[in-house]
């Protein structure tokens, strides 16, 4: 994916608990129009966003991506957090790192699935310093894993055995209509499929918090969702769109689309929509600064 006109480097964020978080940055050579910081979904990692990264680089955007704790190349127990604030403060450190690296450039957060929940929660606590938010497959209404029995068990075990792990039960075939994407996911050694009881209760609490406080979100917002997503219902993204107070907000749904719009068979259309939205916002920012 990386061409001679692109600089790619990896780094690490040291967290206070001794956990090291893996991150990578792609930077086009020449003028940079803005920066997109990606937060991935549950069980996966930042390396699964190559198609989107390449399309962003082509249009002059730098990209930074984090492997969340317990994921990919990052440290920490797979699928576990002690508290949701672990994710929030990791993203805070990530955003500060990227901001320092790309000073005075427009900065946008992009979160998919669990990452979408992480970034929408994040801006409730740290709304400054960002120029927009993109969320994909948001789990405001999860359907693939939030089964009543699992929810009940997670709430009981979270108190007494918080690190008890169980299989999340996500159907690989529900990720994308492209069989090559599904095959690559199944064979990816960095993918994991288990979460802990504490992760489950903290995630459910984060969903409730975002729903209750979504009206506080005022950033420019682009929401993407496949209408046939069997993991997180598209109704959740519609609900989020209606709840937020942003005057600049868009909801784009894709007929027949599965859980990962950026990896589905319409990924070219999705990437173009993301790039066009970003270009419109960066032009607006430049026009404002040039007044």
């Amino acid at each position: 994916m990386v061409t001679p006109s692109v600089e790619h480097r990896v780094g690490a964020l040291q967290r206070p608990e001794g956990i090291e978080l893996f991150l990578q940055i792609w930077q086009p050579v020449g003028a940079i129009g803005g920066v997109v910081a990606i937060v991935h979904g549950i069980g996966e990692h930042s390396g699964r966003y190559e198609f989107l990264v390449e399309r962003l680089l082509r249009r002059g955007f730098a990209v930074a991506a984090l492997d969340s704790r317990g994921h990919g190349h990052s440290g920490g127990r797979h699928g576990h957090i002690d508290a949701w604030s672990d994710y929030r403060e990791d993203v805070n450190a990530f955003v500060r790192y990227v901001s320092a690296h790309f000073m005075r450039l427009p900065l946008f957060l992009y979160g998919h699935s669990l990452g979408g929940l992480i970034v929408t929660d994040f801006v409730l606590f740290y709304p400054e310093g960002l120029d927009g938010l993109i969320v994909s497959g948001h789990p405001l209404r999860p359907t693939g894993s939030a089964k009543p029995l699992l929810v009940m068990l997670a709430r009981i075990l979270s108190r007494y055995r918080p690190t008890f792990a169980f299989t999340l039960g996500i159907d690989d075939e529900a990720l994308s209509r492209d069989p090559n994407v599904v095959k690559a996911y199944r064979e990816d050694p960095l993918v994991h499929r288990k979460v802990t009881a504490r992760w489950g209760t903290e995630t459910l609490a984060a969903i409730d918090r975002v729903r209750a406080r979504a009206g506080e979100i005022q950033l420019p917002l682009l929401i993407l969702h496949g209408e046939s997503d069997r993991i997180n219902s598209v109704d959740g993204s519609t609900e989020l769109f209606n709840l937020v107070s942003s005057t600049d907000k868009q909801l784009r749904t894709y007929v027949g689309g599965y859980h990962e719009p950026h990896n589905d068979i319409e990924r070219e259309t999705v990437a173009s929509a993301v790039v066009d939205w970003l270009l419109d916002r960066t032009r607006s920012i430049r026009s404002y600064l040039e007044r």
Side-chain angles (χ1 to χ4, degrees), residues 54-231:
E54 184 179 28
R55 294 310 187 268
L56 290 167
L57 290 168
R58 286 183 184 179
R59 302 302 297 273
F61 288 93
V63 183
L66 179 75
D67 280 6
S68 296
R69 63 174 59 213
H71 290 77
H73 294 289
S74 289
R77 184 189 292 265
H78 279 175
H80 177 71
I81 48 174
D82 292 322
W84 187 264
S85 57
D86 293 345
Y87 283 149
R88 185 187 305 130
E89 295 307 321
D90 287 348
V91 171
N92 187 31
F94 177 47
V95 168
R96 286 189 283 109
Y97 180 95
V98 175
S99 297
H101 192 84
F102 294 102
M103 294 180 65
R104 294 182 294 277
L105 284 174
L107 175 59
F108 303 86
L109 258 183
Y110 185 114
H112 171 66
S113 195
L114 174 66
L117 181 61
I118 292 171
V119 302
T120 47
D121 171 86
F122 171 77
V123 299
L124 296 175
F125 294 84
Y126 298 102
E128 305 298 327
L130 293 171
D131 295 287
L133 193 63
I134 303 171
V135 296
S136 162
H138 197 284
L140 202 63
R141 295 192 186 180
T143 58
S145 58
K147 299 175 177 65
L149 179 59
L150 283 179
V151 170
M152 181 182 69
L153 286 173
R155 285 177 170 152
I156 294 170
L157 290 168
S158 179
R159 294 182 61 187
Y160 303 105
R161 293 186 61 189
T163 59
F164 180 87
F166 54 90
T167 301
L168 196 56
I170 291 176
D171 179 7
D172 299 350
E173 300 282 350
L175 296 176
S176 172
R177 290 168 289 176
D178 183 340
N180 292 321
V181 169
V182 175
K183 182 175 184 291
Y185 179 84
R186 285 175 173 161
E187 297 175 355
D188 191 334
L190 293 179
V191 165
H192 72 265
R193 300 173 183 275
K194 290 193 174 184
V195 294
T196 65
R198 178 61 55 80
W199 178 92
T201 56
E202 289 295 304
T203 299
L204 290 170
I207 291 171
D208 290 342
R209 181 169 53 252
V210 168
R211 178 178 284 112
R213 297 180 56 188
E216 299 174 30
I217 297 175
Q218 299 181 14
L219 284 168
L221 175 65
L222 173 64
I223 304 173
L224 311 167
H225 214 122
E227 292 185 4
S228 295
D229 186 348
R230 304 196 302 274
I231 295 172

